[in-house]
């Protein structure tokens, strides 16, 4: 009896202990298990010179290549490095000995940024003889060639330039005080670059190209990705004639193109709107691909269902006019926000543009969640010259032209430059696409366009402009239109009066000069 009571008490105590410890164990397991990713980026959060913008640029690069990137302080990952096939060490020159030992024991693919960290790594692994010379310089001229006809140079920061014995070197070099250092090289078992800042566009483009080469597991060259020429911000009620001239210029140049249209919500039957949609129909029939630009969000805390409804309504306005937006164009800040990432799940094809505003990127995000959605992703180009075209073929990129500021002549000039550089373009009608909305679906697969499961044809039928259209305005709208018309008349009359007054002033000045001012001889 006593033994049974003792066993029961022991079991009860053990059960209570397990219940008490289970949250802590779960938390420890969650912290130990890293997110699934092809790459891990390590940085030193205690490094005061660390730039958050550079970590964000690494996220951009990974997303552009469709690779999942986990990132965090080196101390948080030193026990889990073996779970990643590719590890990037960025600005770890002052890393602790414990973390350095973990990196030295790592058996996967290693990419080290910064000469000081590379030297510490070689010394810690017993290969100090690979350190050849130290210059002490931290700035030089970077040269990089993406192809024989596309070579660029810029000034770049690269702290503590050190010359190492290399096994192979890449496409670029950094010249400091007359000494050339390879931009990227293979030193022992690690890929290495002396670069410590990605502030220049050339550095970003070159690092992106080198990362793509590093990640490619085969000996043959990686397949080329394409660029897409986007006529951006096509607004409802914009001059349909100007848009038609731009489209005809693109058709004449034989360039595949994309039209990014603003959402259409109201007055879809107005003649101006019908005429604009006819131009879009004409573009579709001649190889133009239409995507919808994301609406501007003013609410501090937008509601998900309301946003779904807004996106669906903006899409339906074009579908009713036989225009079929098969993707969405979103600002960069959408790619770092969980709310907007959820919204984007309704679109397979996603264009991303950089509007220059704060993206909302934060180091505590831990990874680039954009790749979780498995989009057909097209990122903005990293422009290196006046064409703003990209010389990178390792990711899909978009060249944006503002529809309100680009003339047909400028399109012809840009097309000539791009053709001269052999930029690879692709027609998006060669790919599959899908869009979902509230109670509607739009898809394009194997050459067939389907709306709600029913096959539809892309057609263009010219229609005359209805000059007698009944706008059904109420009294307030009529008064507003009348006042606007009167204002134009008043402005014209005022301008005429000003011109006449100026002419009289000029005449009176000359008359007074002849009448009251005489030559000295008189």
């Amino acid at each position: 009896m006593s033994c049974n009571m003792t066993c029961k008490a022991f079991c009860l105590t053990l059960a209570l202990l397990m219940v008490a410890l289970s949250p802590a164990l779960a938390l420890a397991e969650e912290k130990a298990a890293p997110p699934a990713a092809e790459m891990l980026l390590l940085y030193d959060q205690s490094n005061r010179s660390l730039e958050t913008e550079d970590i964000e640029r690494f996220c951009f690069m990974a997303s552009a290549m469709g690779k999942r990137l986990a990132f965090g302080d080196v101390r948080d990952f030193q026990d889990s490095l073996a779970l990643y096939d590719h590890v990037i060490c960025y600005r770890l020159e002052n890393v602790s000995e414990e973390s350095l030992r973990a990196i030295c024991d790592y058996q996967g693919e290693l990419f080290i940024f910064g000469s000081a960290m590379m030297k510490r790594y070689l010394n810690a692994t017993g290969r100090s003889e690979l350190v050849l010379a130290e210059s002490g310089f931290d700035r030089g001229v970077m040269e990089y060639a993406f192809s024989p006809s596309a070579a660029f140079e810029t000034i770049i920061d690269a702290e503590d330039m050190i010359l190492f014995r290399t096994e192979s070197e890449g496409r670029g070099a950094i010249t400091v005080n007359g000494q050339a250092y390879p931009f990227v090289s293979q030193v022992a078992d690690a890929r290495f670059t002396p670069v410590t800042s990605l502030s220049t566009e050339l550095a970003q483009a070159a690092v992106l190209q080198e990362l793509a080469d590093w990640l490619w597991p085969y000996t043959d060259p990686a397949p080329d990705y394409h660029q897409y020429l986007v006529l951006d911000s096509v607004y409802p009620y914009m001059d349909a004639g100007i848009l038609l001239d731009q489209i005809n210029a693109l058709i004449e140049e034989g360039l595949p193109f994309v039209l990014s249209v603003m959402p259409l919500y109201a007055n879809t039957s107005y003649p101006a709107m019908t005429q604009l949609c006819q131009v879009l129909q004409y573009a579709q029939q001649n190889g133009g691909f239409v995507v919808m630009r994301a609406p501007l969000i003013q609410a501090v805390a937008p509601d998900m269902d309301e946003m779904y409804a807004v996106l669906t309504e903006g899409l339906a306005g074009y579908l009713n006019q036989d225009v079929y937006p098969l993707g969405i164009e979103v600002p960069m800040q959408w790619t770092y926000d969980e709310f907007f990432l959820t919204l984007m799940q309704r679109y397979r094809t996603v264009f991303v543009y950089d509007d220059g505003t704060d993206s909302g990127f934060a180091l505590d995000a831990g990874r680039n969640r954009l790749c979780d959605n498995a989009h057909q992703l097209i990122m903005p180009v990293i422009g290196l010259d006046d064409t703003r075209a990209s010389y990178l073929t390792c990711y899909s990129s978009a060249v944006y032209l503002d529809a309100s500021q680009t003339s047909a002549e400028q399109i012809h000039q840009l097309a000539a430059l791009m053709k001269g550089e052999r930029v690879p373009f692709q027609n998006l009608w060669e790919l599959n696409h899908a869009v979902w909305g509230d109670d509607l679906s739009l898809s394009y697969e194997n050459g067939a366009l389907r709306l709600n499961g029913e096959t539809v044809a892309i057609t263009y039928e010219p229609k005359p402009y209805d000059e007698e259209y009944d706008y059904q305005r109420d009294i307030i709208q009529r008064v507003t239109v009348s006042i606007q018309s009167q204002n134009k008349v008043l402005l014209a009359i005022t301008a005429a009066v000003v011109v006449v007054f100026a002419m009289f002033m000029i005449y009176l000045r000359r008359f007074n000069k002849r009448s009251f001012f005489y030559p000295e001889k008189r």
Side-chain angles (χ1 to χ4, degrees), residues 53-189:
E53 291 81 1
D54 281 343
I55 308 302
E56 180 181 353
R57 292 179 182 116
F58 276 108
C59 280
F60 172 92
M61 296 174 189
S63 297
M65 295 184 291
K67 304 295 184 182
R68 291 178 174 84
L69 174 71
F71 53 89
D73 187 89
V74 61
R75 287 173 286 272
D76 296 334
F77 287 91
Q78 61 189 26
D79 295 328
S80 57
L81 295 183
L83 299 176
Y84 298 88
D85 294 330
H86 295 80
V87 172
I88 300 171
C89 298
Y90 184 69
R91 303 295 304 274
L92 298 182
E93 56 268 20
N94 298 317
V95 70
S96 68
E97 291 297 327
E98 182 182 3
S99 296
L100 180 61
R101 283 196 301 271
I103 294 172
C104 292
D105 293 339
Y106 175 67
Q107 299 298 314
E109 297 292 329
L110 197 63
F111 203 138
I112 296 177
F113 283 73
S115 298
M117 172 57 187
M118 188 72 226
K119 179 183 175 182
R120 288 193 65 189
Y121 174 74
L122 292 175
N123 289 338
T125 54
R127 291 172 288 188
S128 58
E129 72 278 1
L130 300 182
V131 181
L132 300 181
E134 300 186 35
S135 70
F137 294 98
D138 59 3
R139 176 167 291 191
V141 177
M142 171 190 170
E143 301 175 65
Y144 196 88
F146 297 94
S147 68
S149 62
F152 302 89
E153 67 176 40
T154 188
I155 302 295
I156 191 171
D157 292 325
E159 296 176 4
D160 301 323
M161 294 293 291
I162 301 176
L163 192 62
F164 299 95
R165 180 177 289 115
T166 62
E167 297 180 5
S168 63
E169 299 179 1
R171 317 178 191 194
I174 301 175
T175 303
V176 179
N177 197 31
Q179 173 68 52
Y181 300 80
F183 176 76
V184 167
S185 57
Q186 186 71 26
V187 180
D189 54 357

Side-chain angles (χ1 to χ4, degrees), residues 385-399:
D385 56 20
D386 293 338
T387 67
R388 301 305 297 172
S390 174
Y391 297 88
L392 297 173
T393 58
C394 56
Y395 78 105
S396 298
S397 56
V399 180

Side-chain angles (χ1 to χ4, degrees), residues 174-421:
I174 301 175
T175 303
V176 179
N177 197 31
Q179 173 68 52
Y181 300 80
F183 176 76
V184 167
S185 57
Q186 186 71 26
V187 180
D189 54 357
R191 195 72 60 97
F192 162 70
T193 177
V195 171
T196 54
S197 172
L198 301 179
S199 58
T200 66
E201 291 180 321
L202 181 56
Q204 296 167 31
V207 167
L208 177 53
Q209 181 65 63
E210 294 293 341
L211 286 175
D213 294 343
W214 179 55
L215 290 168
W216 184 247
Y218 308 108
T219 56
D220 60 321
D224 287 345
Y225 290 84
H226 300 85
Q227 285 189 43
Y228 302 92
L229 192 59
V230 182
L231 199 56
D232 195 25
S233 301
V234 176
Y235 284 85
Y237 305 107
M238 76 173 289
D239 191 315
I242 293 177
L243 180 61
L244 182 60
D245 290 341
Q246 295 168 339
I247 291 171
N248 281 329
L250 291 165
I251 295 173
E252 290 169 13
E253 293 293 345
L255 292 176
F257 60 97
V258 179
L259 295 157
S260 173
V261 299
M262 302 302 292
L264 181 58
Y265 298 112
N267 304 323
T268 57
S269 61
Y270 277 17
M273 194 65 251
T274 302
Q275 187 180 36
L276 183 66
C277 285
Q278 284 188 67
V279 174
L280 296 177
Q281 294 170 16
Y282 169 76
Q284 285 180 155
Q285 198 172 61
N286 287 275
F289 188 87
V290 181
V291 299
M292 190 175 74
R293 208 170 198 259
L296 181 64
I297 309 301
Q298 300 286 0
V300 177
D303 179 77
M304 186 67 71
D305 290 336
E306 290 180 1
M307 283 303 306
Y308 279 146
V310 167
L311 291 172
T312 301
E313 183 182 1
L315 175 64
Y318 284 105
L319 297 179
N320 293 335
Q321 295 273 9
D322 297 329
V323 176
Y324 304 100
L326 282 162
I328 191 169
E329 180 192 343
V330 303
M332 191 71 73
Q333 63 186 30
W334 278 37
T335 65
Y336 298 117
D337 189 289
E338 287 292 341
F339 178 87
F340 294 117
L341 286 170
T342 302
L343 283 180
M344 290 161 56
Q345 291 175 0
R346 289 191 167 195
Y347 301 86
R348 180 176 181 181
T349 302
V350 174
F351 283 76
V352 179
Y353 69 93
D354 185 0
D355 58 1
T357 60
D358 182 14
S359 66
F361 173 81
L363 286 177
D364 58 7
R367 60 193 172 102
N368 59 334
R369 300 179 184 274
L370 178 61
C371 286
D372 294 346
N373 285 354
H375 294 299
Q376 200 160 252
L377 194 64
I378 302 168
M379 303 290 279
V381 299
I382 303 175
L384 299 174
D385 56 20
D386 293 338
T387 67
R388 301 305 297 172
S390 174
Y391 297 88
L392 297 173
T393 58
C394 56
Y395 78 105
S396 298
S397 56
V399 180
Y400 290 101
L401 304 177
D402 193 329
S404 63
Q405 299 180 7
T406 305
S407 65
E409 291 74 15
Q410 289 173 321
I411 290 175
H412 286 299
Q413 295 171 2
L414 179 62
L417 291 171
M418 289 182 169
K419 289 178 180 179
E421 296 297 342

